[in-house]
Amino acid sequence: MTIEVGINGFGRFGLHLLKYWLDRNEQSNFKILYINDDYLDIKKAYDLIVNDTYVKFNKYKIQISDEFLMILQPNGIKHEILFTNCEHKSIPWIGKPQIFFECSGKCTEAKNCSVYFKNNTKTVLISATSWDAEKTLVYGFNHKEYNTDLKLISYGSCTVNAYVPFANWMDKKYGIVDSDVNVIHNIQEYRLNDNNTLNRKFCTLEESAKILMKSVNDDNFLVNYTVIPFTGVSMIDFRFRTKKPLEVDTFIKDLDEVINHGELKHLYGLDEKDIGPEVYNCTDHSTVFIKEGIKSLNGNLYLQGYFDNENSVNRFYDLANFISAKN
């Protein structure tokens, strides 16, 4: 039985999520029947879908019919999605979907999500860090801890999903002594005019990793997070010092094995050379490592990676699909 879901928020995350789900809907355990956005009406949402240069819906035929987005797949499968333009407390379809995706980025606190729990809706999944959610579930790390008693769940964040499952494998395999993360993060195009310089910011990964992982704490973990006036794929580089000394060649063999055949399969990628970030637009991977960028110096291992933070819906989708199967 396919679970019915609704989305609140049709910004960059919601747009990516719709496309990611459409490309996989025939194998999905859930179907998107409702979307709401407090800013975009259905005509603006339609324009965004058909004209966005980053997220491409080219293979789908999309039309508007009254309050519905009508989406036709090449194989003839049709989707009708009710689109509403309301403040989150006034969404007319609250209580209809079994799972509610809160993707606006505005309602990350439990008190703001309480309105969604009505009638059929038993689970709310937040597409951002929520400090007072019942649990943060990171796919590939602790998603199997889900149980149907959990109602309000955070999927973490783009950086949490990029780092935590990989760092957990590093810790189990070699033992983490200390670790740093350096993030060069893009910015939404509409905000470029107001942000034409570098901006150091707090990253939720710095606290979330400490909460999620026993081996990470205030004394051995640091995140440097810089937002830049750039709209493309972002960069994320890791440094680890481990209990077991690491030779680069041996580590690369271990990494290749776990990415292609082990617990990190489908979560991370490993490419030979650095040919720039553009090729990782809408990547399925949480991080793609560059083999030639893996270095060892003075007992520290350095990894160079790219991640499409906009398309971290990849792990949100995986988590939502897992939860839907359990329901």
Short mmCIF file of all heavy atoms in Angstrom, two decimals, residues 151-175:
data_model
loop_
_atom_site.label_atom_id
_atom_site.label_comp_id
_atom_site.label_asym_id
_atom_site.label_seq_id
_atom_site.Cartn_x
_atom_site.Cartn_y
_atom_site.Cartn_z
N LYS A 151 6.74 10.54 16.08
CA LYS A 151 5.80 11.37 15.32
C LYS A 151 6.49 12.53 14.61
O LYS A 151 6.18 12.83 13.46
CB LYS A 151 4.71 11.91 16.26
CG LYS A 151 3.96 10.84 17.03
CD LYS A 151 3.34 9.80 16.11
CE LYS A 151 2.59 8.73 16.90
NZ LYS A 151 2.11 7.64 16.03
N LEU A 152 7.41 13.20 15.29
CA LEU A 152 8.07 14.38 14.72
C LEU A 152 9.55 14.08 14.54
O LEU A 152 10.29 13.90 15.50
CB LEU A 152 7.88 15.59 15.63
CG LEU A 152 8.42 16.92 15.11
CD1 LEU A 152 7.72 17.32 13.82
CD2 LEU A 152 8.27 18.02 16.16
N ILE A 153 9.99 14.03 13.28
CA ILE A 153 11.33 13.54 12.95
C ILE A 153 12.04 14.57 12.08
O ILE A 153 11.47 15.12 11.15
CB ILE A 153 11.25 12.21 12.18
CG1 ILE A 153 10.54 11.15 13.03
CG2 ILE A 153 12.64 11.72 11.77
CD1 ILE A 153 10.08 9.95 12.23
N SER A 154 13.32 14.81 12.38
CA SER A 154 14.18 15.63 11.53
C SER A 154 15.10 14.72 10.73
O SER A 154 15.58 13.72 11.25
CB SER A 154 15.01 16.60 12.37
OG SER A 154 16.06 17.18 11.60
N TYR A 155 15.34 15.08 9.48
CA TYR A 155 16.27 14.30 8.66
C TYR A 155 17.70 14.79 8.81
O TYR A 155 18.62 14.24 8.23
CB TYR A 155 15.83 14.33 7.19
CG TYR A 155 16.61 15.28 6.31
CD1 TYR A 155 17.35 14.80 5.22
CD2 TYR A 155 16.62 16.64 6.55
CE1 TYR A 155 18.08 15.66 4.40
CE2 TYR A 155 17.34 17.50 5.74
CZ TYR A 155 18.07 17.02 4.67
OH TYR A 155 18.79 17.88 3.88
N GLY A 156 17.91 15.82 9.64
CA GLY A 156 19.23 16.40 9.82
C GLY A 156 19.40 17.63 8.96
O GLY A 156 18.65 18.59 9.08
N SER A 157 20.37 17.60 8.07
CA SER A 157 20.62 18.71 7.15
C SER A 157 21.52 18.19 6.04
O SER A 157 21.98 17.04 6.07
CB SER A 157 21.30 19.88 7.87
OG SER A 157 22.63 19.54 8.23
N CYS A 158 21.80 19.04 5.06
CA CYS A 158 22.67 18.60 3.95
C CYS A 158 24.06 18.24 4.46
O CYS A 158 24.65 17.24 4.05
CB CYS A 158 22.74 19.68 2.88
SG CYS A 158 23.36 21.30 3.42
N THR A 159 24.61 19.04 5.39
CA THR A 159 25.95 18.76 5.89
C THR A 159 25.97 17.58 6.85
O THR A 159 26.93 16.81 6.88
CB THR A 159 26.55 20.00 6.58
OG1 THR A 159 25.62 20.51 7.54
CG2 THR A 159 26.87 21.09 5.55
N VAL A 160 24.90 17.41 7.63
CA VAL A 160 24.81 16.26 8.53
C VAL A 160 24.81 14.97 7.72
O VAL A 160 25.52 14.01 8.04
CB VAL A 160 23.55 16.36 9.41
CG1 VAL A 160 23.27 15.03 10.12
CG2 VAL A 160 23.70 17.48 10.43
N ASN A 161 24.03 14.94 6.64
CA ASN A 161 23.99 13.75 5.80
C ASN A 161 25.28 13.55 5.03
O ASN A 161 25.66 12.41 4.72
CB ASN A 161 22.80 13.83 4.85
CG ASN A 161 21.49 13.45 5.52
OD1 ASN A 161 21.13 12.29 5.58
ND2 ASN A 161 20.80 14.44 6.05
N ALA A 162 25.97 14.64 4.72
CA ALA A 162 27.24 14.53 4.00
C ALA A 162 28.35 13.96 4.88
O ALA A 162 29.23 13.24 4.39
CB ALA A 162 27.65 15.90 3.46
N TYR A 163 28.32 14.26 6.17
CA TYR A 163 29.42 13.90 7.08
C TYR A 163 29.15 12.67 7.93
O TYR A 163 29.98 11.77 8.03
CB TYR A 163 29.75 15.08 7.98
CG TYR A 163 30.77 14.80 9.06
CD1 TYR A 163 32.13 14.81 8.77
CD2 TYR A 163 30.38 14.52 10.37
CE1 TYR A 163 33.07 14.55 9.75
CE2 TYR A 163 31.31 14.25 11.35
CZ TYR A 163 32.66 14.27 11.05
OH TYR A 163 33.59 14.01 12.02
N VAL A 164 28.01 12.61 8.59
CA VAL A 164 27.80 11.66 9.69
C VAL A 164 27.92 10.19 9.29
O VAL A 164 28.65 9.43 9.95
CB VAL A 164 26.48 11.96 10.42
CG1 VAL A 164 26.11 10.83 11.38
CG2 VAL A 164 26.59 13.28 11.20
N PRO A 165 27.22 9.70 8.26
CA PRO A 165 27.39 8.27 7.93
C PRO A 165 28.83 7.91 7.58
O PRO A 165 29.31 6.85 7.97
CB PRO A 165 26.45 8.08 6.73
CG PRO A 165 25.43 9.15 6.87
CD PRO A 165 26.18 10.33 7.41
N PHE A 166 29.52 8.82 6.87
CA PHE A 166 30.91 8.55 6.52
C PHE A 166 31.80 8.56 7.76
O PHE A 166 32.64 7.66 7.95
CB PHE A 166 31.41 9.58 5.52
CG PHE A 166 32.85 9.39 5.14
CD1 PHE A 166 33.22 8.36 4.29
CD2 PHE A 166 33.84 10.21 5.65
CE1 PHE A 166 34.55 8.16 3.95
CE2 PHE A 166 35.16 10.03 5.33
CZ PHE A 166 35.53 9.00 4.46
N ALA A 167 31.63 9.55 8.62
CA ALA A 167 32.44 9.64 9.83
C ALA A 167 32.17 8.45 10.75
O ALA A 167 33.08 7.96 11.43
CB ALA A 167 32.15 10.94 10.56
N ASN A 168 30.94 7.97 10.77
CA ASN A 168 30.62 6.79 11.58
C ASN A 168 31.39 5.58 11.09
O ASN A 168 31.92 4.80 11.88
CB ASN A 168 29.11 6.54 11.52
CG ASN A 168 28.68 5.36 12.36
OD1 ASN A 168 28.90 5.32 13.56
ND2 ASN A 168 28.06 4.38 11.73
N TRP A 169 31.47 5.42 9.76
CA TRP A 169 32.26 4.31 9.20
C TRP A 169 33.75 4.50 9.53
O TRP A 169 34.42 3.54 9.91
CB TRP A 169 32.08 4.25 7.68
CG TRP A 169 33.00 3.27 7.03
CD1 TRP A 169 32.90 1.91 7.05
CD2 TRP A 169 34.19 3.59 6.29
NE1 TRP A 169 33.95 1.35 6.35
CE2 TRP A 169 34.75 2.36 5.87
CE3 TRP A 169 34.81 4.78 5.93
CZ2 TRP A 169 35.93 2.30 5.12
CZ3 TRP A 169 35.97 4.73 5.18
CH2 TRP A 169 36.52 3.49 4.79
N MET A 170 34.25 5.73 9.41
CA MET A 170 35.65 6.01 9.75
C MET A 170 35.94 5.62 11.19
O MET A 170 36.98 5.03 11.50
CB MET A 170 35.95 7.49 9.54
CG MET A 170 36.07 7.93 8.10
SD MET A 170 37.59 7.38 7.30
CE MET A 170 38.84 8.23 8.27
N ASP A 171 35.02 5.96 12.08
CA ASP A 171 35.24 5.68 13.50
C ASP A 171 35.24 4.18 13.78
O ASP A 171 36.08 3.68 14.52
CB ASP A 171 34.16 6.38 14.33
CG ASP A 171 34.44 6.33 15.81
OD1 ASP A 171 35.59 6.60 16.20
OD2 ASP A 171 33.52 6.03 16.58
N LYS A 172 34.31 3.46 13.17
CA LYS A 172 34.25 2.01 13.38
C LYS A 172 35.47 1.31 12.79
O LYS A 172 35.98 0.34 13.35
CB LYS A 172 32.97 1.44 12.76
CG LYS A 172 31.70 1.82 13.49
CD LYS A 172 30.49 1.06 12.96
CE LYS A 172 30.19 1.41 11.53
NZ LYS A 172 28.95 0.73 11.05
N LYS A 173 35.95 1.83 11.66
CA LYS A 173 37.04 1.18 10.94
C LYS A 173 38.40 1.53 11.53
O LYS A 173 39.28 0.66 11.68
CB LYS A 173 36.98 1.61 9.48
CG LYS A 173 38.00 0.93 8.56
CD LYS A 173 37.59 -0.48 8.22
CE LYS A 173 38.51 -1.09 7.17
NZ LYS A 173 38.18 -2.49 6.88
N TYR A 174 38.61 2.79 11.88
CA TYR A 174 39.95 3.25 12.28
C TYR A 174 40.00 3.94 13.64
O TYR A 174 41.07 4.06 14.22
CB TYR A 174 40.50 4.23 11.23
CG TYR A 174 40.38 3.76 9.82
CD1 TYR A 174 39.47 4.35 8.94
CD2 TYR A 174 41.17 2.71 9.34
CE1 TYR A 174 39.37 3.92 7.63
CE2 TYR A 174 41.06 2.28 8.02
CZ TYR A 174 40.16 2.89 7.17
OH TYR A 174 40.06 2.47 5.87
N GLY A 175 38.85 4.41 14.15
CA GLY A 175 38.83 5.14 15.41
C GLY A 175 39.17 6.60 15.22
O GLY A 175 40.31 6.95 14.92
#
